[in-house]
Amino acid sequence: MAAAQSDVFLSHASEDKEEIARPLREALEDRGLVVWFDEVKIKVGQSIRQEIEKGIAGAKFGVVILSPSFFAKQWTQAELDALFTKKVDTGRSIILPIWHRVTKDEVAAHSPLLAGLLALNSATMTVAEIADAIVEAVEEAG
């Protein structure tokens, strides 16, 4: 069965859901993007792992909200692993990182590869500005 297509898979820690993940999902959807978001896409009784894997497989990009909570969780690390694998397999830059309450040094301590990607930063940008930048990246990729 083919995975449902979305523009972005929104990877985040549950602790960041209220402050940035939900508002960002809403902002992206308001701008016309199709967003894979766990609390919308995973229904009671479904396999969380299988639904996440389908979401990643069917997404053009992975928007990754990097935060102290993100780096502390196994689920988010597994999502990041899958996104990096997809990046390598496709040869495309599909990971769109957002730094949320982290510095470049903190990101580098967890993942030098992630620290090397140009990131959006919630400390210096509004959710609307972040959403605009993501929409631009998705549209440029076609």
Side-chain angles (χ1 to χ4, degrees), residues 33-48:
L33 291 190
V34 177
V35 179
W36 192 99
F37 193 67
D38 59 352
E39 68 183 13
V40 174
K41 297 296 184 182
I42 303 174
K43 306 299 182 208
V44 66
Q46 290 182 319
S47 165
I48 296 169

Side-chain angles (χ1 to χ4, degrees), residues 9-11 55-57 59-64 70 76-90 92 94-96:
F9 177 93
L10 189 52
S11 179
I56 290 171
K60 295 176 190 166
F61 289 91
V63 173
V64 183
F70 181 96
T76 51
Q77 294 301 300
E79 291 172 1
L80 184 58
D81 289 346
L83 288 167
F84 263 110
T85 299
K86 184 173 179 174
K87 177 185 185 308
V88 170
D89 289 349
T90 63
R92 292 179 38 244
I94 63 157
I95 298 173
L96 306 177

Side-chain angles (χ1 to χ4, degrees), residues 3-6 9 51-60 82-83 86:
Q5 289 298 306
S6 63
F9 177 93
E51 293 306 309
I52 288 172
E53 287 176 348
K54 283 195 269 185
I56 290 171
K60 295 176 190 166
L83 288 167
K86 184 173 179 174

